[in-house]
PDB file of all heavy atoms in Angstrom:
ATOM      1  N   ASP A  58     -66.976 -68.329-116.321  1.00  0.00           N
ATOM      2  CA  ASP A  58     -65.665 -67.767-116.001  1.00  0.00           C
ATOM      3  C   ASP A  58     -65.611 -67.448-114.517  1.00  0.00           C
ATOM      4  O   ASP A  58     -66.298 -66.547-114.029  1.00  0.00           O
ATOM      5  CB  ASP A  58     -65.442 -66.495-116.825  1.00  0.00           C
ATOM      6  CG  ASP A  58     -63.973 -66.163-116.989  1.00  0.00           C
ATOM      7  OD1 ASP A  58     -63.181 -66.594-116.138  1.00  0.00           O
ATOM      8  OD2 ASP A  58     -63.624 -65.480-117.962  1.00  0.00           O
ATOM      9  N   CYS A  62     -60.624 -70.336-112.264  1.00  0.00           N
ATOM     10  CA  CYS A  62     -60.702 -71.315-113.349  1.00  0.00           C
ATOM     11  C   CYS A  62     -61.828 -70.940-114.304  1.00  0.00           C
ATOM     12  O   CYS A  62     -62.676 -70.089-114.010  1.00  0.00           O
ATOM     13  CB  CYS A  62     -60.933 -72.721-112.794  1.00  0.00           C
ATOM     14  SG  CYS A  62     -62.579 -72.980-112.087  1.00  0.00           S
ATOM     15  N   SER A  72     -79.667 -87.757-131.411  1.00  0.00           N
ATOM     16  CA  SER A  72     -81.129 -87.823-131.362  1.00  0.00           C
ATOM     17  C   SER A  72     -81.657 -89.191-131.773  1.00  0.00           C
ATOM     18  O   SER A  72     -82.738 -89.604-131.334  1.00  0.00           O
ATOM     19  CB  SER A  72     -81.735 -86.744-132.264  1.00  0.00           C
ATOM     20  OG  SER A  72     -81.286 -86.903-133.600  1.00  0.00           O
ATOM     21  N   SER A  77     -76.526 -89.141-124.730  1.00  0.00           N
ATOM     22  CA  SER A  77     -75.790 -87.891-124.598  1.00  0.00           C
ATOM     23  C   SER A  77     -74.492 -88.152-123.851  1.00  0.00           C
ATOM     24  O   SER A  77     -74.424 -89.020-122.973  1.00  0.00           O
ATOM     25  CB  SER A  77     -76.615 -86.825-123.875  1.00  0.00           C
ATOM     26  OG  SER A  77     -76.797 -87.165-122.517  1.00  0.00           O
ATOM     27  N   ALA A 261     -59.083 -78.938 -93.943  1.00  0.00           N
ATOM     28  CA  ALA A 261     -59.289 -79.882 -92.836  1.00  0.00           C
ATOM     29  C   ALA A 261     -57.968 -80.589 -92.547  1.00  0.00           C
ATOM     30  O   ALA A 261     -57.415 -81.261 -93.414  1.00  0.00           O
ATOM     31  CB  ALA A 261     -60.373 -80.889 -93.205  1.00  0.00           C
ATOM     32  N   GLY A 311     -66.765-109.122 -83.776  1.00  0.00           N
ATOM     33  CA  GLY A 311     -65.417-108.596 -83.905  1.00  0.00           C
ATOM     34  C   GLY A 311     -64.919-108.568 -85.336  1.00  0.00           C
ATOM     35  O   GLY A 311     -65.626-108.897 -86.291  1.00  0.00           O
ATOM     36  N   ASN A 314     -64.869-111.213 -88.554  1.00  0.00           N
ATOM     37  CA  ASN A 314     -66.069-112.036 -88.721  1.00  0.00           C
ATOM     38  C   ASN A 314     -67.369-111.286 -88.485  1.00  0.00           C
ATOM     39  O   ASN A 314     -68.442-111.745 -88.903  1.00  0.00           O
ATOM     40  CB  ASN A 314     -66.005-113.244 -87.783  1.00  0.00           C
ATOM     41  CG  ASN A 314     -64.840-114.157 -88.097  1.00  0.00           C
ATOM     42  OD1 ASN A 314     -64.471-114.314 -89.259  1.00  0.00           O
ATOM     43  ND2 ASN A 314     -64.232-114.749 -87.074  1.00  0.00           N
ATOM     44  N   GLY A 356     -73.634-114.543 -92.002  1.00  0.00           N
ATOM     45  CA  GLY A 356     -74.332-114.669 -90.730  1.00  0.00           C
ATOM     46  C   GLY A 356     -74.504-113.386 -89.954  1.00  0.00           C
ATOM     47  O   GLY A 356     -75.055-113.403 -88.847  1.00  0.00           O
ATOM     48  N   ASP A 362     -80.691-109.798 -93.018  1.00  0.00           N
ATOM     49  CA  ASP A 362     -81.841-108.938 -93.311  1.00  0.00           C
ATOM     50  C   ASP A 362     -81.933-108.529 -94.772  1.00  0.00           C
ATOM     51  O   ASP A 362     -83.036-108.269 -95.280  1.00  0.00           O
ATOM     52  CB  ASP A 362     -81.774-107.671 -92.446  1.00  0.00           C
ATOM     53  CG  ASP A 362     -81.962-107.950 -90.966  1.00  0.00           C
ATOM     54  OD1 ASP A 362     -82.359-109.088 -90.629  1.00  0.00           O
ATOM     55  OD2 ASP A 362     -81.699-107.039 -90.162  1.00  0.00           O
ATOM     56  N   TRP A 411     -67.653-107.706-109.102  1.00  0.00           N
ATOM     57  CA  TRP A 411     -68.214-106.867-110.155  1.00  0.00           C
ATOM     58  C   TRP A 411     -68.298-107.631-111.478  1.00  0.00           C
ATOM     59  O   TRP A 411     -69.329-107.598-112.164  1.00  0.00           O
ATOM     60  CB  TRP A 411     -67.348-105.632-110.360  1.00  0.00           C
ATOM     61  CG  TRP A 411     -67.355-104.662-109.217  1.00  0.00           C
ATOM     62  CD1 TRP A 411     -68.354-104.461-108.308  1.00  0.00           C
ATOM     63  CD2 TRP A 411     -66.309-103.760-108.860  1.00  0.00           C
ATOM     64  NE1 TRP A 411     -67.998-103.482-107.417  1.00  0.00           N
ATOM     65  CE2 TRP A 411     -66.742-103.032-107.723  1.00  0.00           C
ATOM     66  CE3 TRP A 411     -65.046-103.480-109.382  1.00  0.00           C
ATOM     67  CZ2 TRP A 411     -65.958-102.050-107.122  1.00  0.00           C
ATOM     68  CZ3 TRP A 411     -64.267-102.512-108.777  1.00  0.00           C
ATOM     69  CH2 TRP A 411     -64.721-101.803-107.661  1.00  0.00           C
ATOM     70  N   SER A 465     -61.623 -86.942 -98.514  1.00  0.00           N
ATOM     71  CA  SER A 465     -61.123 -87.595 -97.303  1.00  0.00           C
ATOM     72  C   SER A 465     -59.618 -87.445 -97.199  1.00  0.00           C
ATOM     73  O   SER A 465     -58.953 -86.949 -98.112  1.00  0.00           O
ATOM     74  CB  SER A 465     -61.481 -89.089 -97.344  1.00  0.00           C
ATOM     75  OG  SER A 465     -60.831 -89.714 -98.451  1.00  0.00           O
ATOM     76  N   PHE A 582     -32.228 -89.227 -90.693  1.00  0.00           N
ATOM     77  CA  PHE A 582     -32.187 -90.496 -89.973  1.00  0.00           C
ATOM     78  C   PHE A 582     -30.891 -91.237 -90.311  1.00  0.00           C
ATOM     79  O   PHE A 582     -30.576 -91.458 -91.488  1.00  0.00           O
ATOM     80  CB  PHE A 582     -33.374 -91.383 -90.377  1.00  0.00           C
ATOM     81  CG  PHE A 582     -34.714 -90.730 -90.185  1.00  0.00           C
ATOM     82  CD1 PHE A 582     -35.313 -90.031 -91.229  1.00  0.00           C
ATOM     83  CD2 PHE A 582     -35.372 -90.804 -88.966  1.00  0.00           C
ATOM     84  CE1 PHE A 582     -36.547 -89.428 -91.061  1.00  0.00           C
ATOM     85  CE2 PHE A 582     -36.604 -90.202 -88.793  1.00  0.00           C
ATOM     86  CZ  PHE A 582     -37.196 -89.507 -89.836  1.00  0.00           C
ATOM     87  N   ALA A 647     -36.226 -67.450 -91.380  1.00  0.00           N
ATOM     88  CA  ALA A 647     -35.592 -66.167 -91.681  1.00  0.00           C
ATOM     89  C   ALA A 647     -35.919 -65.158 -90.593  1.00  0.00           C
ATOM     90  O   ALA A 647     -37.045 -65.086 -90.110  1.00  0.00           O
ATOM     91  CB  ALA A 647     -36.060 -65.654 -93.035  1.00  0.00           C
TER      92      ALA A 647
END
Side-chain angles (χ1 to χ4, degrees):
D58 203 336
C62 70
S72 58
S77 69
N314 297 326
D362 293 349
W411 292 333
S465 63
F582 304 93

